[in-house]
Amino acid sequence: MKAAQDIKNTVLIEQDEYQQFVHRHAKTNHHQYNFIHPDIWDYFKAEVDGKLRESTSKYPRHYSLHETIGLAAGAVFKTDAVLTFEQTLLQVGNVSKLCLPESTSVMLSEVSEVKRSSAVKTCSPKVVSEDPIAVSLAKKHKVDIVISSSGLNTLLDNHPPDYSKQWQLPITVKRQEDIQDKTSGHKIVFIDKPLPPQKVHAREVHEKFYKHALRRLVCQKTGEEKHDN
């Protein structure tokens, strides 16, 4: 036990020394943290601009301010909503299989190769407000609010004190008319995935690019086989 405690104390000291080294290095070479490879930036801009055009085309072009909602940190009210798991309504699709790449000739750092692979676009999944399955389930179970996973993550990742992250969440309200009473109906609020951010840090750009690169290397859909030409 004494040997294990000595090792633990040594590791803690080394961790503290390493953190101090990283802090000094970051202050001395802060410009390196803001560097973005030109090809990575071109890839990111093309990706964001394409998604922004695709997203905004789904909604009306003109908006009017309806209400402003304040977000207070640490405020607790009796009427606050509580997230409670009820049941899984529907589960479809296959889970992607992770596999080690057969060839390591294409590495994560090869920007041009990743850009070429991302040039072939697949159909983007429907947002929840346009997903007929989500709309049908919401109507069947008389749901009041339907929110996408990325939309929920955006709201939960809103940190004080300055709330520096910029985000835009499209909200659509649909009325399900009552067959017997046409004047009334159940309203369902759909919160879609957030629009692409207009202000980003270098770290976020690199994170998005290398996430795509890593997925390209190790993710393979179930039943899909690789073929060499």
Side-chain angles (χ1 to χ4, degrees):
M1 292 295 295
K2 185 177 183 301
Q5 186 63 37
D6 292 340
I7 294 175
K8 180 180 179 180
N9 294 335
T10 302
V11 170
L12 291 176
I13 295 174
E14 291 179 351
Q15 286 180 341
D16 184 62
E17 292 177 351
Y18 179 73
Q19 289 176 355
Q20 293 180 13
F21 163 75
V22 172
H23 181 69
R24 291 194 302 269
H25 182 273
K27 292 182 64 176
T28 307
N29 304 278
H30 58 86
H31 59 281
Q32 295 183 358
Y33 292 85
N34 295 324
F35 173 76
I36 302 176
H37 192 285
D39 286 343
I40 293 181
W41 179 249
D42 292 341
Y43 160 81
F44 178 80
K45 283 292 294 178
E47 184 83 3
V48 169
D49 292 344
K51 286 187 175 181
L52 185 61
R53 287 193 300 269
E54 182 182 0
S55 300
T56 53
S57 64
K58 296 182 174 70
Y59 307 103
R61 294 183 58 186
H62 303 287
Y63 299 86
S64 59
L65 179 62
H66 174 67
E67 184 180 358
T68 301
I69 301 176
L71 298 176
V76 180
F77 303 95
K78 293 182 179 180
T79 57
D80 282 352
V82 178
L83 296 178
T84 305
F85 175 76
E86 294 289 341
Q87 60 177 319
T88 300
L89 300 182
L90 182 65
Q91 186 173 354
V92 296
N94 298 320
V95 179
S96 298
K97 181 179 68 174
L98 297 180
C99 60
L100 294 176
E102 298 177 359
S103 174
T104 57
S105 59
V106 180
M107 303 303 293
L108 293 177
S109 58
E110 295 191 13
V111 179
S112 58
E113 185 66 27
V114 178
K115 284 184 63 179
R116 283 196 297 270
S117 68
S118 63
V120 180
K121 295 293 183 181
T122 57
C123 296
S124 301
K126 291 182 178 294
V127 294
V128 292
S129 62
E130 293 186 344
D131 188 345
I133 298 178
V135 175
S136 176
L137 290 173
K139 182 179 180 181
K140 177 181 178 181
H141 296 274
K142 296 183 178 180
V143 176
D144 296 317
I145 299 177
V146 179
I147 184 171
S148 62
S149 58
S150 55
L152 179 61
N153 181 70
T154 299
L155 293 177
L156 296 179
D157 196 26
N158 191 55
H159 299 299
D162 53 356
Y163 301 98
S164 58
K165 285 192 174 182
Q166 179 223 24
W167 47 268
Q168 293 176 299
L169 283 175
I171 298 177
T172 304
V173 180
K174 294 186 177 182
R175 180 191 296 272
Q176 303 295 332
E177 293 186 356
D178 192 339
I179 300 178
Q180 298 179 352
D181 186 2
K182 297 292 184 179
T183 60
S184 64
H186 178 64
K187 292 182 179 179
I188 304 177
V189 179
F190 292 90
I191 304 178
D192 294 331
K193 62 188 302 182
L195 300 179
Q198 299 301 303
K199 296 180 180 179
V200 292
H201 299 289
R203 178 181 177 274
E204 295 172 314
V205 176
H206 287 108
E207 180 181 355
K208 183 174 181 61
F209 174 81
Y210 285 108
K211 177 181 177 181
H212 173 80
L214 181 62
R215 182 183 299 167
R216 175 181 173 273
L217 280 179
V218 301
C219 288
Q220 181 180 355
K221 292 183 179 179
T222 305
E224 178 182 314
E225 296 182 357
K226 294 182 179 179
H227 300 280
D228 296 330
N229 295 327

